[in-house]
Amino acid sequence: MPIRLLDVTAYTTFDFVSGRAVGPDWSDESAAVVDVDRPDEAPGTVRLRMEFDGSDLEHVAAHADHLSLSPEQARGLAAELERKATNAEAGEDVPGGRGR
Amino acid sequence: MSSKKETWKEGMYGDEVREKLLEFAENGWESIPEDERDMWFSRFKFWGIFHQRSGQESYFMMRLTNANGQLNAEQLRTIGEVARDYATGPVENPEFGDAWIDLTTRQSIQLHWINLEDVPAIWEKLESVGVTTRSSGGDTMRNIVGCPVAGKDEEQVIETQSLLERLQEDLRGDDDLANMPRKFNISVTGCREGCAQDAINGIGLEPAEKEIEASETPREAGESEVVTGFNVRIGGGLGGREPRTARDLDVFVTRENAYDVIRGFVELYHEHGRRDNRQKNRSRFFVDDEGTAAIRELLQEEYVDVDLRRAGRNVREEYTYNAGRPPEAGKSDHVGVHDQPDGRKYVGLSVPVGRMTARETIALADVAKAYGSGEIRLTRRQNPLIMDVEEEALEDLLAEPLLETHQPNPTPFDRGGMACTGTEFCSIALTETKLRLTRILRWLNANVEVPDDVETIKIHYSGCTADCGHAYTADIGLQGMRAQKDGEIVEALDIGVGGGLGPHPGFVEWVSQRVPADEVPGAIRSLIGAFSAHREEGQTFREWVASFGTESVVELCEPTETTYEDPYMHDAKQTWYPFAEGESPAPTTVEDVPITSD
């Protein structure tokens, strides 16, 4: 069973999120770790990382995905998440723009 | 670009922090400006004063340093008295009550629930008997570890005591080297057992022999002699999902020039270690980046005057400490009654998760004085040793009530138990550790049989991936995680098997992820059952995992609920203290009375 690639501590953004890896004709359901940080090696950026538990994956090798976001993109994503959270709680779509 | 912590350190660090800390202590918790607390707490760590986690404001953990875990009875008694008088919180731990000490994996001691206002009095008491907290935390050289029975070990290859003392006094005491790029660990092994665990340190010395030409010795020209000294390894360490075993620097040092070479590498890392990236600036990553050949060359050119010799013959093949080898190979720990070369004995006690009450600590000091020389030594497995016991005193010592609680002949599970601090006090842990492992060990003792010839099953529990509990080097390693069970988020553990040190250091391989905490004893039972059923006679757990194969072990690891009950399954980080209900009283006065703000 592969070693986890992401640190998981109390400072990790989410240590448990339900997720699914999807391919053209397959999908693996898995618990996942999600983390957001400010990487020292890429000043001025925000890093969004995600890793599914290796023990849950059948169709894809264990790995972590890293997204590098500009501060503006990070704020856009946060705003979009905020809007969708409101929609989810309301059970309907509240009009709004997409993240930039 | 300097990180925030580098900027804070540049502003003030090392010895000068002490005066400021004393000033805050005199004026009380509230005198620390709220917007400066993170900065001061970061600086206080150099002096062994660590602010406890969120919800426990105004309470601190205090870490002591005593090179190689050596204490005399007066020192340990004083530490016990400090714990009794000052390490008391607003609530009790359900298992350990109030006022205790934690033995650490670097042969030292931690105290909790310390009020800042009490620090001056505590320092005065500790320092009056030669115990200090200086340089025990933060970005500095941590407590220096060695063979806990150095000088009194039948398996000693080379004397290390004088070197350890010089490293403690001159190297760690050098304020110019206080501000390292990151925490830095030094280890000196002098025995055939490897009990200083050199493989997981920033620099580790291992005993070795080398034939040296006469020009370098007092002998006649043309002659040579075999000299006992050390080989040097660098860049080992656990944690951060990227553990490393220390790499061979291909350097042999005599006892006489060992200090200079260690100092040279410390200065090299001090100057060249990265300060711009805290995520990648531990010494193990520095060695990854630079390579041992380049570091050796730089060390020779700029940091040491002696000519560096190539590595000699080491004795690693004989290492047995936490090596997962059978008892007949040698000691896997120092628990039990063992011979000293002078005819006396030392007695190693088992403290399963490293926690002793203040009362037990004082009793240990008294027992060590009554039956031995009074000397107590601490091991890297969170256990104390009573030194210099005469043969005729042994029977009475073994009958002491303290040794019924902390036994020299424990069960295999108790003997192998180690745990980090966990969410009880630690700000980065994900799960509670010490109380849970205490309960798990109790359940395993009562419900799981181990083959008669198996002396120990090493279960090490870390509350998160930082791995302060050394899960990576366990027979069965546990690391805190979170899982969903019956629709609720619960504390859970990743389970790994087959780690250990010794001749061939290696880390656990993971066999199950996010096992709900109440199913972990069942999982361990299945692992021990499989081990018992499939092992060859005489195999240890680590040897069995290596021969059976981790993939096969994965199939046989079966987490399940049992009669074990875990009353603290739910996310402890959501409460101010895992075992308390209601609101936190913190911050409080020294009498644990909440400080109310206008």
Side-chain angles (χ1 to χ4, degrees):
Chain A
M1 190 174 293
I3 190 170
R4 289 188 190 279
L5 299 171
L6 300 188
D7 268 338
V8 192
T9 72
Y11 295 144
T12 303
T13 308
F14 294 117
D15 48 52
F16 181 91
V17 176
S18 296
R20 180 184 297 162
V22 180
D25 54 0
W26 59 266
S27 71
D28 288 338
E29 292 196 358
S30 174
V33 173
V34 177
D35 194 41
V36 181
D37 69 353
R38 178 191 60 79
D40 285 341
E41 59 264 37
T45 68
V46 174
R47 180 170 58 179
L48 172 62
R49 296 183 292 176
M50 181 175 64
E51 180 184 7
F52 288 153
D53 285 5
S55 58
D56 291 338
L57 300 175
E58 286 182 34
H59 297 91
V60 61
H63 69 286
D65 294 306
H66 294 208
L67 293 177
S68 180
L69 305 174
S70 67
E72 188 182 19
Q73 288 174 318
R75 288 193 188 93
L77 177 61
E80 185 68 355
L81 287 169
E82 185 74 31
R83 275 193 292 274
K84 296 304 181 192
T86 302
N87 292 352
E89 287 172 339
E92 60 181 1
D93 281 346
V94 178
R98 299 191 65 83
R100 288 153 290 179
Chain B
M1 183 193 296
S2 280
S3 71
K4 190 165 59 179
K5 286 190 177 174
E6 279 300 321
T7 305
W8 291 343
K9 288 192 294 176
E10 285 166 14
M12 181 187 292
Y13 210 60
D15 288 342
E16 62 182 327
V17 174
R18 183 182 171 104
E19 287 308 312
K20 195 68 188 174
L21 199 154
L22 288 170
E23 188 182 313
F24 283 128
E26 187 177 343
N27 294 316
W29 157 259
E30 291 182 289
S31 68
I32 308 173
E34 200 164 335
D35 60 350
E36 295 181 11
R37 282 182 185 161
D38 287 347
M39 177 180 73
W40 287 113
F41 294 165
S42 182
R43 290 171 172 168
F44 288 175
K45 289 179 184 176
F46 178 84
W47 277 97
I49 308 296
F50 298 71
H51 188 247
Q52 291 181 181
R53 72 170 172 88
S54 172
Q56 299 171 3
E57 288 75 15
S58 78
Y59 291 103
F60 293 80
M61 180 270 278
M62 174 180 278
R63 182 183 294 152
L64 315 180
T65 71
N66 41 302
N68 200 25
Q70 297 185 7
L71 295 166
N72 60 41
E74 185 186 19
Q75 290 173 324
L76 185 66
R77 175 171 250 284
T78 302
I79 293 167
E81 289 171 355
V82 166
R84 179 194 64 198
D85 297 340
Y86 297 103
T88 58
V91 286
E92 293 196 349
N93 177 293
E95 183 75 27
F96 300 99
D98 204 5
W100 63 78
I101 68 168
D102 282 344
L103 306 176
T104 77
T105 56
R106 290 196 72 78
Q107 299 174 273
S108 193
I109 289 173
Q110 294 180 170
L111 308 171
H112 289 93
W113 293 124
I114 300 295
N115 292 104
L116 187 64
E117 294 83 346
D118 289 332
V119 169
I122 295 172
W123 274 350
E124 189 176 346
K125 197 167 166 65
L126 292 175
E127 290 170 1
S128 72
V129 294
V131 175
T132 179
T133 63
R134 183 186 177 278
S135 188
S136 61
D139 294 345
T140 190
M141 285 174 273
R142 302 296 182 86
N143 198 39
I144 292 170
V145 298
C147 303
V149 285
K152 299 180 178 182
D153 186 7
E154 290 209 313
E155 302 299 328
Q156 181 167 297
V157 176
I158 181 169
E159 191 276 323
T160 56
Q161 192 61 35
S162 53
L163 174 61
L164 290 164
E165 286 170 7
R166 192 169 175 209
L167 291 169
Q168 170 76 3
E169 292 299 317
D170 296 349
L171 189 59
R172 288 184 75 240
D174 187 343
D175 196 43
D176 288 341
L177 293 172
N179 176 7
M180 300 290 285
R182 202 64 189 277
K183 80 171 182 180
F184 188 82
N185 292 332
I186 300 171
S187 164
V188 179
T189 303
C191 68
R192 296 180 192 284
E193 292 161 338
C195 50
Q197 301 195 154
D198 47 66
I200 49 175
N201 283 266
I203 183 165
L205 266 54
E206 61 184 19
E209 291 180 340
K210 189 170 178 71
E211 196 165 295
I212 292 181
E213 293 300 319
S215 60
E216 299 175 69
T217 75
R219 296 197 162 211
E220 297 296 321
E223 290 186 11
S224 63
E225 69 171 324
V226 175
V227 172
T228 303
F230 305 94
N231 285 343
V232 182
R233 288 177 183 264
I234 56 173
L238 302 177
R241 313 311 298 174
E242 295 184 84
R244 300 279 190 282
T245 55
R247 273 60 58 91
D248 183 2
L249 189 61
D250 193 15
V251 167
F252 173 85
V253 295
T254 62
R255 193 168 56 192
E256 289 69 32
N257 59 32
Y259 174 84
D260 292 332
V261 173
I262 292 175
R263 185 181 180 94
F265 182 65
V266 169
E267 289 177 346
L268 186 157
Y269 176 64
H270 181 264
E271 189 169 350
H272 294 273
R274 293 181 67 172
R275 291 179 186 268
D276 62 331
N277 184 346
R278 294 190 65 81
Q279 292 152 353
K280 284 289 178 189
N281 70 353
R282 293 291 299 274
S283 66
R284 61 184 186 274
F285 302 131
F286 176 72
V287 174
D288 287 355
D289 292 343
E290 304 297 324
T292 52
I295 290 172
R296 191 186 194 286
E297 193 177 327
L298 184 60
L299 184 66
Q300 178 70 85
E301 284 178 3
E302 296 185 23
Y303 292 93
V304 295
D305 292 330
V306 296
D307 288 336
L308 295 177
R309 301 183 180 92
R310 295 291 170 186
R313 286 186 307 277
N314 64 41
V315 298
R316 295 194 77 84
E317 284 303 317
E318 298 179 52
Y319 276 16
T320 53
Y321 194 83
N322 194 21
R325 301 174 72 178
E328 55 269 25
K331 296 197 287 289
S332 67
D333 55 36
H334 290 296
V335 172
V337 179
H338 301 287
D339 294 333
Q340 294 180 188
D342 61 5
R344 294 184 288 181
K345 313 278 185 186
Y346 72 86
V347 180
L349 310 187
S350 171
V351 182
V353 298
R355 181 165 289 178
M356 298 180 73
T357 65
R359 184 190 296 267
E360 290 169 348
T361 306
I362 293 169
L364 175 60
D366 292 345
V367 160
K369 194 170 184 181
Y371 298 99
S373 63
E375 190 172 30
I376 298 99
R377 299 196 178 183
L378 308 177
T379 76
R380 299 209 62 183
R381 296 196 52 77
Q382 302 180 332
N383 291 322
L385 314 178
I386 298 169
M387 305 303 294
D388 309 319
V389 180
E390 300 286 353
E391 176 95 47
E392 52 267 30
L394 196 57
E395 190 176 339
D396 287 344
L397 169 60
L398 296 176
E400 280 285 336
L402 177 70
L403 276 67
E404 289 175 20
T405 307
H406 299 298
Q407 299 181 12
N409 187 26
T411 68
F413 292 117
D414 282 349
R415 186 169 190 150
M418 294 208 311
C420 72
T421 298
T423 50
E424 185 176 14
F425 301 111
C426 175
S427 61
I428 67 169
L430 275 180
T431 67
E432 197 282 318
T433 52
K434 284 190 186 284
L435 187 143
R436 173 169 293 131
L437 186 57
T438 298
R439 294 173 61 93
I440 288 176
L441 293 174
R442 195 175 292 146
W443 187 88
L444 292 170
N445 288 334
N447 293 282
V448 178
E449 281 194 28
V450 175
D452 289 341
D453 61 334
V454 174
E455 192 174 65
T456 181
I457 300 289
K458 294 188 169 76
I459 301 175
H460 302 177
Y461 183 2
S462 292
C464 73
T465 58
D467 204 36
C468 299
H470 292 197
Y472 274 121
T473 60
D475 287 327
I476 300 175
L478 310 174
Q479 279 190 347
M481 273 299 293
R482 209 89 68 198
Q484 193 165 36
K485 179 168 181 172
D486 300 331
E488 292 189 34
I489 299 297
V490 297
E491 295 202 351
L493 284 70
D494 283 353
I495 301 176
V497 297
L501 293 167
H504 309 289
F507 302 124
V508 293
E509 292 190 40
W510 301 96
V511 296
S512 198
Q513 294 180 314
R514 298 185 195 270
V515 177
D518 61 344
E519 299 180 26
V520 169
I524 295 174
R525 181 178 65 184
S526 70
L527 291 170
I528 300 299
F531 164 59
S532 301
H534 298 286
R535 71 191 281 256
E536 291 175 16
E537 193 173 341
Q539 267 186 331
T540 66
F541 190 88
R542 186 183 182 198
E543 289 172 334
W544 170 70
V545 170
S547 65
F548 196 68
T550 309
E551 287 309 310
S552 302
V553 178
V554 170
E555 300 300 318
L556 297 174
C557 181
E558 296 175 352
T560 182
E561 289 183 11
T562 62
T563 55
Y564 168 82
E565 292 180 5
D566 196 312
Y568 308 107
M569 284 284 286
H570 300 290
D571 186 0
K573 297 300 285 195
Q574 303 304 317
T575 61
W576 72 277
Y577 186 67
F579 319 116
E581 293 178 358
E583 294 294 308
S584 166
T588 73
T589 66
V590 287
E591 287 84 26
D592 298 327
V593 176
I595 297 171
T596 53
S597 300
D598 294 334

